[in-house]
């Protein structure tokens, strides 16, 4: 009987050790991701995570446009009974272990205010004038991508003692070279709003405009007029602006100015152009040189009777017979200068912000 009892004790001891694990530690019951499991006493959260292959997914840091800026930069975490826990903690019986994936996070925003040296032109722009003020700039703190740009005026607009001559609907192989030659002879820099498909067909004329110191702006790709440009479906409107810009970009022009066909504008159009970095430019003097039968004398009279400091004059170098416009140019230039006004090309780029005055 003694031998039998001894064997039973030994077998019972071995079985207990097997059940309790090495070191004769007791077994704990915990719940891992909804499943009840046994671990030895003293097991840490890290040990359980390794044993049951728990790997919280890391989230990404995204830029302001939702693109991945830093992959797997936001770590996930372990939860014990629904609360974040240190991986070094020792588990207790009955605890529930789950994982929380890292959430994608947008980069923080940086807000700053900068004074606009020299002021800013209006958008849409009707005259050669600038308003003093400051820009409120919001950008991604990591990517530096622009989120919004808002101008806050600090005083009334200042009208320049200047006039801008602008030409639409080119380039025309028949008239643009002759108008450029006349402007060069008169020592005048002007602004040409070119149609995309015509620029594509006459790239050398656009390059000639640039070589001769002219500003080149976007006048849409196809120059649609029916319905009025601003009433086009939003996607078509944006595409017309973007396609015109793409043609000019291939020719070395980064257009900062956009003139809608027919001068048709709306807040939606201004926003669409601004999204592509372009300011909408209209005019304050229209001598209707596009009207059939307009004589050089009539065109000149209409310009000089309406022109004032800051005027933007619309003329045409394409789209029809431009001989009257060409003939009228010398008298128009002389009449404007006789009034003590300069002739200027419009600035494609906004003034560079300088002198940061604070952060928000």
């Amino acid at each position: 009987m003694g031998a039998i009892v001894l064997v039973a004790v030994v077998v019972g001891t071995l079985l207990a050790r097997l059940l309790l694990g090495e070191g004769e530690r007791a077994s704990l019951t915990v719940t891992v991701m909804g499943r009840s499991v046994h671990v030895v006493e003293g097991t840490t959260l890290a040990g359980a995570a390794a044993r049951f292959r728990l790997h919280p997914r890391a989230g990404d840091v995204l830029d302001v446009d939702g693109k991945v800026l830093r992959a797997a930069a936001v770590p996930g975490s372990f939860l014990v009974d629904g609360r974040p826990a240190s991986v070094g903690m020792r588990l207790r019986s009955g605890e529930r272990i789950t994982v929380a994936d890292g959430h994608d996070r947008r980069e923080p925003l940086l807000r700053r205010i900068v004074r606009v040296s020299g002021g800013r032109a209006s958008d849409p722009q009707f005259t050669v004038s600038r308003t003093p003020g400051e820009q409120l700039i919001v950008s991604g703190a990591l990517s530096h991508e622009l989120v919004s740009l808002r101008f806050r005026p600090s005083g009334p607009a200042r009208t320049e003692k200047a006039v801008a001559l602008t030409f639409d609907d080119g380039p025309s192989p028949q008239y643009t070279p002759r108008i450029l030659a006349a402007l060069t002879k008169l020592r005048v820099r002007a602004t040409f709003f070119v149609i995309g498909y015509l620029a594509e067909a006459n790239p050398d004329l656009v390059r000639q405009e640039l070589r001769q110191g002219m500003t080149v702006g976007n006048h849409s790709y196809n120059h649609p007029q029916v319905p009025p440009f601003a009433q086009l479906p939003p996607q078509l409107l944006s595409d017309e602006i973007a396609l015109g810009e793409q043609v000019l970009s291939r020719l070395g022009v980064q257009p900062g100015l956009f003139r809608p066909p027919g001068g048709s504008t709306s807040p939606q159009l201004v926003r669409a152009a601004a999204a592509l970095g372009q300011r909408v430019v209209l005019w304050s003097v229209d001598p209707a040189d596009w009207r059939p039968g307009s004589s050089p004398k009539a065109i000149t009279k209409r310009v000089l009777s309406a022109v004032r400091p800051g005027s933007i004059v619309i003329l045409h170098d394409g789209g029809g017979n431009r001989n009257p416009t060409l003939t009228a140019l010398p008298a128009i230039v002389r009449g404007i200068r006789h009034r003590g006004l300069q002739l200027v090309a419009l600035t494609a780029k906004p003034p560079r912000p300088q002198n940061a005055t604070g952060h928000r």
Side-chain angles (χ1 to χ4, degrees):
M1 286 295 292
I4 293 174
V5 172
L6 179 61
V7 170
V9 171
V10 171
V11 171
T13 302
L14 291 174
L15 182 59
R17 288 182 177 179
L18 181 62
L19 291 173
L20 295 175
E22 288 188 12
E24 302 181 8
R25 290 179 291 177
S27 174
L28 302 177
T29 301
V30 295
T31 301
V32 177
M33 302 299 289
R35 183 166 61 96
S36 182
V37 299
H38 298 284
V39 297
V40 296
E41 187 177 9
T43 297
T44 62
L45 179 55
R51 177 179 170 184
F52 297 106
R53 298 180 181 177
L54 303 180
H55 302 292
R57 185 189 68 83
D60 302 325
V61 174
L62 309 176
D63 70 8
V64 293
D65 295 319
K67 298 175 184 175
V68 175
L69 195 60
R70 295 178 182 174
V74 184
S77 60
F78 295 99
L79 305 179
V80 174
D81 291 338
R83 295 185 294 274
S86 166
V87 294
M89 72 170 288
R90 295 183 183 277
L91 299 176
R92 294 179 296 184
S93 185
E95 290 181 322
R96 294 176 294 105
I97 304 170
T98 54
V99 297
D101 291 336
H103 294 291
D104 292 346
R105 295 180 184 173
R106 292 289 178 109
E107 64 176 317
L109 297 179
L110 175 65
R111 292 174 172 82
R112 59 196 179 99
I113 300 173
V114 296
R115 190 172 74 249
V116 180
S117 178
R120 194 190 76 160
S122 62
D123 190 0
Q125 180 179 3
F126 295 90
T127 62
V128 184
S129 62
R130 294 195 176 276
T131 302
E134 54 192 15
Q135 297 276 25
L136 280 66
I137 303 170
V138 180
S139 59
L142 303 176
S143 68
H144 306 295
E145 290 287 335
L146 183 65
V147 176
S148 66
L149 185 65
R150 186 163 65 90
F151 181 75
R152 184 163 62 191
S154 60
R158 295 190 290 262
T159 300
E160 296 183 26
K161 231 185 156 181
V163 172
L165 296 184
T166 66
F167 293 86
D168 285 14
D169 295 355
S172 160
Q174 184 175 2
Y175 296 108
T176 301
R178 295 162 64 192
I179 287 177
L180 284 171
L183 292 172
T184 300
K185 184 176 180 180
L186 293 164
R187 301 185 304 281
V188 173
R189 293 181 64 243
T191 304
F192 286 79
F193 289 97
V194 304
I195 298 173
Y197 79 88
L198 293 177
E200 211 165 32
N202 303 282
D204 289 342
L205 291 180
V206 176
R207 296 188 182 104
Q208 184 180 349
E209 288 169 350
L210 293 174
R211 282 197 307 271
Q212 294 185 210
M214 310 299 169
T215 295
V216 176
N218 182 3
H219 197 35
S220 81
Y221 183 81
N222 288 296
H223 199 278
Q225 289 183 284
V226 180
F229 189 81
Q231 295 177 23
L232 291 175
Q235 188 59 57
L236 180 56
L237 185 149
S238 294
D239 287 347
E240 277 288 337
I241 301 173
L243 288 171
E245 178 191 35
Q246 289 167 19
V247 171
L248 293 178
S249 294
R250 289 195 293 270
L251 298 177
V253 182
Q254 295 301 321
L257 305 176
F258 176 74
R259 174 168 283 170
S264 176
T265 189
S266 68
Q268 177 184 325
L269 181 146
V270 172
R271 288 193 297 270
L276 293 168
Q278 297 173 54
R279 183 172 78 248
V280 174
V281 177
L282 299 176
W283 57 84
S284 56
V285 177
D286 181 3
D289 67 327
W290 48 268
R291 188 177 296 157
S294 291
S295 68
K297 185 176 180 180
I299 294 171
T300 302
K301 183 178 179 180
R302 291 176 196 143
V303 171
L304 296 182
S305 63
V307 78
R308 302 287 186 275
S311 291
I312 296 177
V313 180
I314 179 173
L315 298 166
H316 295 80
D317 66 317
N321 177 13
R322 298 301 166 232
N323 281 316
T325 302
L326 181 62
T327 305
L329 267 180
I332 289 173
V333 170
R334 284 196 302 269
I336 291 172
R337 284 177 170 160
H338 183 71
R339 300 177 185 200
L341 301 174
Q342 289 184 308
L343 284 155
V344 298
L346 295 172
T347 303
K349 295 180 180 179
R352 183 178 301 170
Q354 296 175 350
N355 303 325
T357 58
H359 296 270
R360 286 188 177 177

